[in-house]
């Protein structure tokens, strides 16, 4: 994991671009975001255009202080403040009833908006200096691997107005997304903040149905490298030569015979797996010696659930749609 980056001298330049309706890639603690003024529908439209993202997939709005939150949501709910107190700034997105100042394009026409306060000084500074909340999806082309460095953004989105370089992001996978129900909370996307973490504050709601329309963007295929990608198991692993294969390794037990191996942790720490996963995918994707990528599966508990979610989505296209 990287050390906290130095304050960027480029924040003012980036803030001026945001104020003028431009689009800036910014670091957060999870992955890089592609940000624009969340209250300016034309600026937000450019995010969709640059990312080639379908308009049915809503964006997360990033804030830097709680005053901001109060103007963006309606139906004050004390639980929101409890959660914010505990997890913000941090990798938790709450889907909340939105106020009218948020343009429909941000939420794909939904009456709710996903909001989070990122735990990254550059992002917080940028939001404050821009004087507006910043709508930002992950700064990758739609369906591709999320970026954890400025270089990953440059590779996929060369036309972005400005990239604020804050070094490698330290969490490495996207925020946990939750919504609140009458009974408790539900998870719309798994992340580093787990169900158990949130259960210490309120019950997990197993009952209330989540209808598809209120939770778009839950695609089966995502984060897909442009090379064949598979979860390493006995059924997928080639028995013979693996010299053109790259392995994203965790335990060290599968490494034999692979052309290249990226070991993400020396101490079996799942946080390190999450932090390095997308970077390893990018690295093999760019490596001319590698033509197929494997990733070691992990147990599906705690953070392991979020990691396996990303691996399955990355594998989906190659396994079921492309059938390798
Ligand atoms: O860590 C993160 O969350 C990163 C950084 C940049 O903050 N952002 C991110 O954004 O991952 P994105 O656009 O790649 O994923 C956001 C997902 C959408 O695909 C959608 O599933 C969900 O958030 N979402 C956003 N607003 C929603 C809403 N109102 N209701 C339900 N889901 C929503
Ligand atoms: Mg994304």
């Amino acid at each position: 994991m990287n050390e906290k980056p130095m304050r960027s001298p480029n924040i003012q330049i980036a803030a001026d671009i945001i104020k003028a309706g431009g689009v800036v890639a910014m670091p957060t603690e999870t992955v890089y975001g592609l940000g624009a003024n969340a209250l300016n529908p034309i600026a937000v439209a450019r995010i969709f255009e640059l990312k080639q993202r379908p308009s049915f997939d809503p964006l997360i709005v990033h804030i830097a202080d709680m005053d901001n939150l109060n103007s963006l949501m309606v139906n004050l709910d004390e639980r929101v403040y409890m959660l914010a107190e505990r997890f913000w700034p941090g990798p938790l997105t709450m889907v909340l009833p939105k106020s009218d100042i948020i343009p429909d394009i941000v939420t794909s026409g939904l009456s709710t908006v996903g909001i989070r306060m990122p735990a990254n000084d550059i992002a917080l500074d940028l939001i404050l200096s821009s004087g507006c909340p910043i709508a930002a999806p992950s700064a990758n082309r739609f369906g591709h691997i999320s970026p954890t460095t400025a270089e990953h953004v440059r590779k996929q989105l060369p036309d972005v107005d400005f990239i604020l370089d804050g070094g490698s992001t330290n969490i490495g996978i996207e925020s946990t997304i939750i919504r609140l129900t009458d009974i408790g909370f539900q998870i719309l996307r798994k992340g580093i903040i787990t169900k158990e973490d949130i259960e210490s504050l309120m019950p997990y709601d197993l009952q209330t149905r989540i209808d598809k329309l209120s939770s778009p963007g839950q695609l089966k295929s995502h984060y897909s490298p442009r090379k064949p990608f598979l979860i390493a198991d006995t059924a997928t692993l080639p028995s013979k030569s693996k010299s053109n294969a790259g392995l994203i390794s965790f335990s060290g037990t599968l490494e034999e015979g692979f052309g290249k191996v990226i070991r993400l942790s020396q101490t079996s720490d799942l946080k390190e797996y999450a932090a390095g996963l997308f970077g390893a995918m990018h690295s093999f994707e760019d490596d001319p010696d590698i033509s197929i990528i494997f990733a070691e599966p992990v147990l599906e508990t705690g953070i392991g659930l979020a990691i396996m979610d990303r691996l399955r989505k990355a594998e989906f296209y190659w396994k079921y749609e492309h059938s390798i």
Side-chain angles (χ1 to χ4, degrees):
M1 289 208 198
N2 284 41
E3 288 183 10
K4 206 162 131 184
M6 298 276 290
R7 289 246 153 150
S8 163
N10 291 326
I11 290 176
Q12 198 51 52
I13 300 172
D16 290 341
I17 294 173
I18 298 268
K19 282 186 203 159
V23 177
V24 166
M26 64 171 187
T28 78
E29 79 282 38
T30 57
V31 299
Y32 274 71
L34 188 62
N37 179 351
L39 308 181
N40 176 344
I42 295 166
V44 172
R46 267 203 74 220
I47 297 179
F48 283 91
E49 191 190 336
L50 278 168
K51 249 196 97 129
Q52 300 179 348
R53 178 175 175 117
S55 59
F56 59 75
D57 199 0
L59 307 183
I60 292 173
V61 172
H62 298 72
I63 59 170
D65 57 51
M66 292 304 281
D67 294 346
N68 235 314
L69 174 68
N70 297 335
S71 67
L72 301 177
M73 58 175 260
V74 292
N75 302 347
L76 188 129
D77 181 333
E78 279 309 316
R79 295 175 301 172
V80 172
Y81 298 93
M82 271 168 57
L83 287 158
E85 171 94 356
R86 175 74 186 275
F87 296 110
W88 281 358
L92 180 74
T93 298
M94 294 189 235
V95 170
L96 303 167
K98 85 172 187 75
S99 76
D100 289 340
I101 69 166
I102 299 181
D104 286 337
I105 187 169
V106 172
T107 63
S108 305
L110 294 174
S111 60
T112 56
V113 57
I115 302 182
R116 81 180 193 97
M117 190 188 291
N120 177 293
D121 287 345
I122 294 176
L124 293 173
D125 249 16
L126 176 65
I127 298 164
L128 291 173
S129 310
S130 305
C132 59
I134 293 185
S138 50
N140 50 284
R141 293 281 279 270
F142 181 70
H144 287 266
I145 313 167
S146 295
T148 56
T149 65
E151 200 39 57
H152 297 159
V153 180
R154 223 165 271 132
K155 177 172 99 172
Q156 296 192 42
L157 300 168
D159 294 334
V160 59
D161 296 330
F162 193 72
I163 300 176
L164 252 182
D165 191 340
S168 295
T169 62
N170 57 357
I171 287 183
I173 57 172
E174 302 84 349
S175 60
T176 305
I177 303 181
I178 63 165
R179 68 167 196 153
L180 297 173
T181 65
D182 291 342
I183 307 170
F185 72 98
Q186 294 181 323
I187 294 183
L188 303 180
R189 181 173 69 188
K190 298 179 183 98
I192 290 285
I193 295 178
T194 62
K195 174 168 161 273
E196 291 74 23
D197 293 332
I198 303 167
E199 271 177 327
S200 62
L201 293 182
M202 64 192 66
Y204 179 66
D205 178 357
L206 278 164
Q207 279 162 290
T208 312
R209 258 190 71 243
I210 305 181
D211 72 279
K212 277 245 161 70
L213 283 177
S214 72
S215 178
Q218 309 281 89
L219 305 172
K220 285 200 172 107
S221 173
H222 206 349
Y223 317 112
S224 204
R226 288 182 315 243
K227 288 178 184 169
F229 176 94
L230 291 171
I231 296 172
D233 61 37
T234 42
T236 61
L237 277 178
S239 51
K240 295 190 227 91
S241 164
K242 290 182 276 190
S243 60
N244 65 344
L247 176 72
I248 300 174
S249 167
F250 182 61
S251 67
T253 55
L254 302 176
E255 294 176 0
E256 183 80 37
F258 276 93
K260 287 189 183 161
V261 171
I262 299 177
R263 171 89 69 91
L264 293 179
S265 176
Q266 300 298 332
T267 55
S268 295
D269 181 347
L270 285 173
K271 286 208 268 328
E272 289 180 356
Y273 197 141
L277 172 62
F278 289 144
M281 285 188 191
H282 277 288
S283 161
F284 282 143
E285 183 180 75
D286 297 342
D287 187 334
D289 297 336
I290 295 301
S291 51
I292 180 163
I293 307 166
F294 290 89
E296 181 172 348
V298 292
L299 281 180
E300 295 198 59
T301 54
I303 298 167
L305 284 163
I307 292 169
M308 288 308 292
D309 169 70
R310 301 318 188 268
L311 296 187
R312 289 211 180 88
K313 285 183 174 153
E315 176 188 63
F316 191 87
Y317 169 80
W318 294 106
K319 193 165 176 179
Y320 301 106
E321 290 177 20
H322 195 77
S323 43
I324 46 168

